[in-house]
Amino acid sequence: MNLELIPLLIIVLLMISAGGVDVETTEFVIEGNHEITEHRGALIVGDAAVTIPDDETISGPVYVIGGELQVQGTVEGDVTQLSGSLAVEDGAAIDGELQHIGGSEEVADEAAIAERTPVEFTPAEPGPVAAYTPVVLTTLILSLVGAWLSRKRPMLLENIGTTARDHPVISLTVGALLSVTFLAVFVFMAFTLILLPVSILGLLIGLVAIAYGIIGLGYLAGKLLDMPRVGLATGLGVIGIMVLLQVAGAVPILGDLIAGGLLLIGLGAVVVTYFGLQKFEPVSLPE
Amino acid sequence: MKLFAFVRERQWIPVTGYLIYVAALTAGYYYNLTFVQLGLTDLGTREIGMSPEDVSIVMAVLALLTLVAAVGSGLVMDRRGWSTDLYVKFRLLFLIILVQLLLTIAAPFVSTVEGFVLWVVVCSATLGLGIPVTFSFMLDFIPIRDRGYVAATVAGLSFFVAALYPVEWRIDEFSLVMSAMMVPAVLVLAVLSVKRFAFVDVLASQHERSTFGTGRFCRPTPVRTLSVALWGPILLMFGVFFIDSLGFLRIIEEPLYIYTSWQSPDLSVRFFIAVFHIVGAVAAGVLYTNFDRNWVFLWVFGLFAFTHLLYVFDVRFGVGETPALILPMFYVLAVSFYTTLNFALWPDLSTAETIGTHTALGVGIAGWLATFMSTALALYSEGIELPLGSHLTYVNTLSLLFVVALPVLLYVHRMFELARGEAAS
């Protein structure tokens, strides 16, 4: 599953729980091409191509968070589009509200829409300043936290940094296993709706752990600068790591692998050192 | 890895030991995965015309006989000192592969139920003898430091190849290919059985070095056969195998799930599964080498619990379409994890004096007895027409029970240790 879908999925599940829809009838279409001919309950369109054929009626509500939804028949409930693409063809009908928040939308003139509510955010093509503001802000916050931590509790970052440096394979393995498993567990929890708060909390803790890993790597990079002021060195190191992640992300496939690998090494190092509280030592084996 | 040090120092004899171990265990496990586990079902149902239930009963008998043969031969090998005599083990392996070669050639010509049962009985005898013989090679060829990685290599390679070949099961074709692959091994082993070589003499004495001959968990005190240190892992591994086969036996019978399993006709799905087998095995190797073994057990049970949860969820709430690949992905990770553990664990719980018995008990009880019992239970659940969802719920219950029980037992064990320490002081 595309990782970018996860926050949208959580938002949708929050909407579903707020709307009082029965989770047992909720269907999440994650991949492939599908023709939905009868469905009673909420329908979430992920990375899939979903068609509601002519002369077919589904109850809804329908949420589009990725992929493609093509409506030829009738949706009795609301349709909410957060991302992906939506096409409502001639003769198709949406009896509820069509809410367009994001993604591409194409509604034929002859389509019958009971109510339309466009939610306008920023323009589709933000300028370079708007595009990089979140990254710059995140970098600034992480470098400040890193500088503060390296002055107040240097041992925490020392443990994380040295583990990432001395045991990258172990850190990467643990980070990869934990991220894959817990990501799936939290998404799965979200589907129960009851555990949705736990799921969101878990994902937030995961993000904090990844951020903490970046700070640990930044501390390690800062040490290479050989500066007397450890706070400044760590801050600059974190900036360096964030720039490296951005630059690597621009290179297709290999860059993504490097960036992902770095993040997972940081996460693994955080976990095996108990968030830096304990130096990691692999089990002792005879040479 | 110690292997890199051997290569750097140009010590090619120990490196040869690695190659012999990986080749022997990978080939043996691949044969077991494909020809025995898939082939017998096909042979019984398609060629002879037996009902799937009858074939399952025969498979259960095979598992039980294999257990008996493994434990019996393991005990004999330790008592007679064969476990530490590499030349004797090569002779035994020659005998095993020769008989299996004949069985493989004969398989397409088996046409009666009596012939099929006889084939299974002889096959189980060779499989049973093969367990202590091949698993004990770990002490001869692989130093403790590298056992996790080597076990991962064997598990990953076996599953990778088995997931991709044969794509379509045909006993006659596959029998021919397997026979052709086995002939060189038989010839090499025949030579090693009758003639002494200097390099084999060096390999044969490696188990006398403490880095080879005394397992990781036998330091400073060797694990006794009648101890919690051995039977605890046997019970845990029994649970792992039992959960796996009990769940999987029913899952692969559902047409819906065949498309995302080993039996998928889609090569890209099988390739995905094959690659994830390697990924899972490598991860397990890293964890086994660098963490306490209980962490790996926790991961195995956790992965199984979550996998079955996913399947139960899909059975209950799925829309009857082919499920997402995330289901087999987690299944494959779990299977690779416990297979890697299974290859490395028993030799590490043994010394040169106990390797035959311990590997036979470990692999026999955890692997084969669990298979026998889970097959019987799966047949029973089919017999009483238990729905798949309920069946998987029971399996899921078991895996969750193990997930919770393991840390609790470890905690209680630690409490007892502390209490005994306080009492002593």
Side-chain angles (χ1 to χ4, degrees):
Chain A
M1 186 171 76
N2 185 352
L3 291 181
E4 289 161 10
L5 287 182
I6 290 171
L8 295 176
L9 179 63
I10 300 287
I11 291 165
V12 165
L13 289 167
L14 280 168
M15 288 174 164
I16 288 173
S17 63
V21 177
D22 184 6
V23 70
E24 290 198 10
T25 59
T26 300
E27 185 190 337
F28 180 32
V29 190
I30 199 170
E31 60 185 8
N33 296 316
H34 303 266
E35 273 200 355
I36 308 280
T37 53
E38 52 175 78
H39 179 66
R40 307 218 65 78
L43 173 69
I44 307 168
V45 180
D47 271 338
V50 175
T51 306
I52 298 158
D54 197 9
D55 299 330
E56 296 291 350
T57 302
I58 66 162
S59 64
V62 180
Y63 298 90
V64 186
I65 60 170
E68 189 184 329
L69 173 67
Q70 195 171 33
V71 184
Q72 295 166 352
T74 303
V75 180
E76 287 177 339
D78 300 339
V79 176
T80 307
Q81 186 191 6
L82 286 91
S83 184
S85 70
L86 169 70
V88 187
E89 298 192 357
D90 281 335
I94 295 172
D95 295 346
E97 182 185 0
L98 170 60
Q99 197 173 42
H100 174 79
I101 297 169
S104 63
E105 182 197 50
E106 203 177 309
V107 180
D109 294 338
E110 298 301 311
I113 313 288
E115 189 184 346
R116 291 192 67 172
T117 320
V119 181
E120 289 300 334
F121 287 116
T122 51
E125 289 295 326
V129 174
Y132 281 102
T133 300
V135 179
V136 171
L137 269 177
T138 308
T139 306
L140 192 66
I141 292 165
L142 289 183
S143 59
L144 288 172
V145 173
W148 177 78
L149 263 178
S150 62
R151 284 206 309 271
K152 295 285 177 191
R153 302 290 300 276
M155 222 39 230
L156 295 176
L157 299 183
E158 179 70 24
N159 285 337
I160 295 167
T162 51
T163 299
R165 184 192 61 205
D166 300 342
H167 307 290
V169 175
I170 299 169
S171 301
L172 178 66
T173 304
V174 172
L177 269 175
L178 282 174
S179 57
V180 167
T181 309
F182 277 86
L183 203 60
V185 169
F186 291 138
V187 170
F188 195 75
M189 276 182 174
F191 269 97
T192 65
L193 293 190
I194 299 163
L195 291 174
L196 195 56
V198 180
S199 164
I200 293 167
L201 182 68
L203 287 168
L204 286 174
I205 290 170
L207 287 173
V208 168
I210 289 169
Y212 194 24
I214 292 171
I215 292 170
L217 293 172
Y219 174 81
L220 195 63
K223 278 174 76 175
L224 298 175
L225 297 173
D226 203 21
M227 293 168 72
R229 294 174 62 187
V230 70
L232 181 63
T234 304
L236 290 172
V238 170
I239 291 167
I241 295 290
M242 287 298 284
V243 169
L244 178 65
L245 289 172
Q246 287 301 310
V247 171
V251 181
I253 302 173
L254 184 65
D256 287 338
L257 284 174
I258 291 167
L262 261 180
L263 290 174
L264 292 176
I265 287 171
L267 174 66
V270 166
V271 171
V272 298
T273 57
Y274 295 89
F275 279 67
L277 292 167
Q278 180 184 294
K279 193 172 186 293
F280 173 72
E281 287 291 349
V283 290
S284 172
L285 294 175
E287 286 301 331
Chain B
M1 272 183 88
K2 195 82 179 144
L3 174 65
F4 299 145
F6 287 138
V7 172
R8 266 198 312 272
E9 293 157 13
R10 303 189 175 211
Q11 294 188 48
W12 302 119
I13 292 175
V15 174
T16 310
Y18 280 79
L19 295 175
I20 293 172
Y21 180 85
V22 171
L25 271 285
T26 304
Y29 200 62
Y30 173 77
Y31 181 86
N32 176 44
L33 283 170
T34 54
F35 206 87
V36 177
Q37 295 194 10
L38 292 173
L40 279 189
T41 308
D42 178 74
L43 185 62
T45 50
R46 216 166 46 83
E47 300 289 325
I48 300 169
M50 293 166 73
S51 67
E53 290 76 19
D54 288 344
V55 172
S56 297
I57 290 165
V58 175
M59 290 290 280
V61 169
L62 170 108
L64 205 58
L65 288 175
T66 303
L67 163 68
V68 172
V71 175
S73 51
L75 283 165
V76 169
M77 281 175 68
D78 281 347
R79 294 239 170 109
R80 295 187 172 242
W82 294 348
S83 298
T84 52
D85 189 330
L86 191 57
Y87 282 102
V88 170
K89 285 196 280 193
F90 277 150
R91 284 180 205 126
L92 289 171
L93 191 59
F94 165 67
L95 179 72
I96 290 163
I97 297 185
L98 183 65
V99 175
Q100 283 183 337
L101 174 63
L102 296 173
L103 284 171
T104 307
I105 294 167
F109 303 102
V110 174
S111 55
T112 62
V113 175
E114 293 78 11
F116 183 60
V117 171
L118 179 67
W119 195 98
V120 163
V121 169
V122 178
C123 183
S124 60
T126 59
L127 287 174
L129 176 59
I131 289 167
V133 170
T134 53
F135 275 69
S136 66
F137 279 152
M138 190 72 106
L139 257 67
D140 298 299
F141 299 136
I142 313 295
I144 289 165
R145 171 153 291 285
D146 289 358
R147 284 180 184 172
Y149 298 122
V150 171
T153 306
V154 171
L157 275 178
S158 313
F159 280 122
F160 183 85
V161 180
L164 292 174
Y165 183 81
V167 175
E168 204 176 337
W169 183 263
R170 285 278 173 275
I171 188 94
D172 41 5
E173 283 174 29
F174 194 59
S175 156
L176 199 67
V177 173
M178 286 299 282
S179 305
M181 284 163 66
M182 287 161 92
V183 167
V186 170
L187 294 175
V188 169
L189 284 164
V191 173
L192 288 173
S193 301
V194 294
K195 194 174 180 334
R196 292 189 82 89
F197 291 91
F199 86 95
V200 179
D201 289 338
V202 174
L203 289 173
S205 64
Q206 282 192 146
H207 73 268
E208 291 163 10
R209 291 154 62 180
S210 74
T211 50
F212 283 82
T214 306
R216 172 178 158 184
F217 306 116
C218 291
R219 296 156 183 268
T221 315
V223 171
R224 286 178 297 109
T225 305
L226 296 175
S227 67
V228 176
L230 177 70
W231 286 92
I234 287 176
L235 177 71
L236 289 173
M237 284 301 277
F238 177 89
V240 169
F241 274 94
F242 187 78
I243 289 164
D244 175 31
S245 49
L246 188 63
F248 198 63
L249 275 169
R250 284 295 300 271
I251 286 170
I252 58 165
E253 284 179 5
E254 297 299 311
L256 183 66
Y257 295 113
I258 279 180
Y259 289 100
T260 52
S261 81
W262 269 38
Q263 274 88 351
S264 174
D266 187 344
L267 192 65
S268 63
V269 170
R270 292 167 77 118
F271 186 72
F272 172 87
I273 286 172
V275 167
F276 263 91
H277 267 304
I278 299 239
V279 170
V282 169
V286 170
L287 292 189
Y288 182 84
T289 307
N290 296 288
F291 291 85
D292 186 86
R293 67 178 182 270
N294 294 325
W295 280 105
V296 187
F297 271 119
L298 269 175
W299 265 108
V300 170
F301 288 126
L303 284 169
F304 266 123
F306 185 59
T307 303
H308 283 293
L309 207 63
L310 285 172
Y311 273 100
V312 170
F313 195 81
D314 197 76
V315 169
R316 288 266 166 88
F317 308 121
V319 285
E321 292 188 4
T322 306
L325 282 174
I326 195 168
L327 274 70
M329 184 190 91
F330 275 102
Y331 213 124
V332 159
L333 283 178
V335 169
S336 277
F337 255 71
Y338 86 71
T339 307
T340 301
L341 187 59
N342 191 46
F343 279 118
L345 184 64
W346 312 119
D348 271 343
L349 285 165
S350 314
T351 60
E353 291 72 36
T354 56
I355 182 81
T357 309
H358 287 193
T359 52
L361 286 171
V363 181
I365 292 175
W368 291 99
L369 185 65
T371 305
F372 165 77
M373 289 181 72
S374 61
T375 305
L377 254 178
L379 278 171
Y380 173 75
S381 83
E382 275 177 50
I384 60 169
E385 293 179 352
L386 190 73
L388 178 70
S390 306
H391 178 93
L392 288 181
T393 302
Y394 291 133
V395 178
N396 201 26
T397 306
L398 268 176
S399 52
L400 284 170
L401 185 71
F402 271 100
V403 170
V404 175
L406 180 62
V408 169
L409 287 173
L410 289 172
Y411 191 83
V412 171
H413 179 68
R414 178 71 184 142
M415 278 173 65
F416 272 103
E417 277 183 342
L418 289 169
R420 272 202 299 269
E422 283 173 8
S425 62

